[in-house]
Amino acid sequence: MHTPTTISIIGTGNVATHLFKALSQHAILPPDSSIRIINSRTLNNLPDHSDLILISVKDDAIGSVAQRVTGKADMIAHTSGSVSIDILRDCAKHYGVFYPLQTFSKNSELNYLEIPFFIEGNDAETIDNLKTIAQSISPKVFEADSSKRKRLHIAAVFACNFSNHLVAIADDLLQEDGMDYKVLLPLLKETVRKLDTLPPKDAQTGPAVRNDQKVISSHEDMLADHPDRLAIYRLLSSSILSSLQ
Amino acid sequence: MHTPTTISIIGTGNVATHLFKALSQHAILPPDSSIRIINSRTLNNLPDHSDLILISVKDDAIGSVAQRVTGKADMIAHTSGSVSIDILRDCAKHYGVFYPLQTFSKNSELNYLEIPFFIEGNDAETIDNLKTIAQSISPKVFEADSSKRKRLHIAAVFACNFSNHLVAIADDLLQEDGMDYKVLLPLLKETVRKLDTLPPKDAQTGPAVRNDQKVISSHEDMLADHPDRLAIYRLLSSSILSSLQ
């Protein structure tokens, strides 16, 4: 199998749209390549034969789309972090996963050079092909089987989803006193920027890592009327403290 | 009192060093102003009279430094987020707080334009003077009494200290499978960048906010052999879910 020249991206969400844009603008593909984006509901304009179909729809819909495009491509891959490669087993000779680890919003410009791609394939040829395509838009391309992908996903939940929620709690705390989360953004950005060079354990600051019980008690007093926040404060403070041992 | 022209910064830590640099390089001060940085242990080179002394030492040491510089300046302020203004009550006619909300590392270049300053003073003149100085290095200058500063501090613990710890947990999870936190940085940076325009509640993504019990259960299974991580996963997931109501 040569490098795919007819690529059909199925989906109309943010991931599909961004992948279409990234591949159209940046991918180094053979001349006469064509890349289409196809509505997953109608499958209008899906060629009878594609070299590669990328299924980029909600996790729950991958199985049914896969059935409907069975036999329509040499190689079929999905773009999900948490769905097993096996869901594509009967759809094509070559099948795999093409997973960009990033959060895609409708109107934001992304630097594709910064997006890590995680590739899985049912054979070496599939892995090579998917890697080649990913490498043409990003220098950060890794192989990851379904178990590694699952681990990446849960790690992203801790590092990103949960962190965002902590900013939401900070926002609530500040709004109760006439301020809001935006005053924290420079500090938050610097906290993240430090991680470019310093591992998170070495970068840890705050009362818990100093075991500053005076400040911790005063914070706990302040949170006393809000048991949910207090529980989070206590659990994360003690987790920081025990991570030092 | 005119705008201070003799400013003595007491401290040798990161905050003192960065403030000295910021004020020396960027502050718009009267001609013939002088800014010094003074070792808090020896107080060598502390002028007999300063217009302003900024005490920028560890929280626990502010009180003793304050005693030793009593009477040496028209105006004395400390730079701490969590210490009350009252600690300076007997040191000078004018006293206050000059608190930069940022994390300062030894070797990092900071964009001072991005650092919010929170000012408190025992009278209008002190507030005006401290504000003028802060405004000459940052456009983000706010008044905040000791109660507001305490709230900012606890909000920063949630948004920054705790988030950093969650990245440390993600790092552990990834290292157990031969990866590390650096693959998460583009996602983490985009998560924070989105907050420039989208409040954290609206920006929330992940299985908890979708109430995706299938993914949540599968993550809980994966964390089963590590009760600390499991407890954090459950508490934060249920906090996200209940914040929707």
Side-chain angles (χ1 to χ4, degrees), chain A residues 54-79:
Chain A
L54 286 176
I55 301 176
S56 189
V57 299
K58 289 213 172 87
D59 287 1
D60 288 346
I62 293 173
S64 77
V65 170
Q67 282 192 320
R68 289 158 60 216
V69 302
T70 292
K72 299 269 193 184
D74 295 332
M75 186 163 67
I76 299 185
H78 72 65
T79 61

Side-chain angles (χ1 to χ4, degrees), chain B residues 34-150:
Chain B
S34 83
I35 304 173
R36 301 164 193 230
I37 185 162
I38 312 251
N39 187 303
S40 64
R41 199 171 47 76
T42 62
L43 295 185
N44 263 353
N45 298 319
L46 180 69
D48 290 337
H49 175 85
S50 302
D51 295 308
L52 168 64
I53 288 178
L54 286 177
I55 302 177
S56 188
V57 300
K58 289 214 172 86
D59 286 1
D60 288 347
I62 293 173
S64 78
V65 170
Q67 281 192 321
R68 289 158 61 217
V69 301
T70 292
K72 299 270 193 182
D74 296 330
M75 186 162 67
I76 299 186
H78 71 65
T79 62
S80 164
S82 39
V83 173
S84 163
I85 186 177
D86 296 331
I87 202 166
L88 302 176
R89 185 191 297 270
D90 300 320
C91 300
K93 186 180 164 204
H94 303 286
Y95 56 95
V97 181
F98 187 85
Y99 172 47
L101 181 62
Q102 184 51 284
T103 177
F104 297 91
S105 313
K106 210 170 182 179
N107 296 313
S108 73
E109 287 297 317
L110 286 171
N111 180 359
Y112 299 104
L113 284 173
E114 293 293 325
I115 299 177
F117 280 81
F118 294 89
I119 302 300
E120 184 175 6
N122 71 313
D123 54 29
E125 200 176 335
T126 308
I127 293 172
D128 276 356
N129 267 295
L130 292 176
K131 267 185 156 177
T132 301
I133 297 172
Q135 281 163 349
S136 75
I137 54 176
S138 164
K140 298 180 182 166
V141 178
F142 308 92
E143 274 183 63
D145 60 19
S146 293
S147 145
K148 266 202 163 70
R149 251 187 307 119
K150 190 172 172 185

Side-chain angles (χ1 to χ4, degrees), chain B residues 21-35:
Chain B
K21 202 170 146 189
L23 291 172
S24 303
Q25 294 178 354
H26 302 292
I28 302 156
L29 297 170
D32 301 323
S33 294
S34 83
I35 304 173

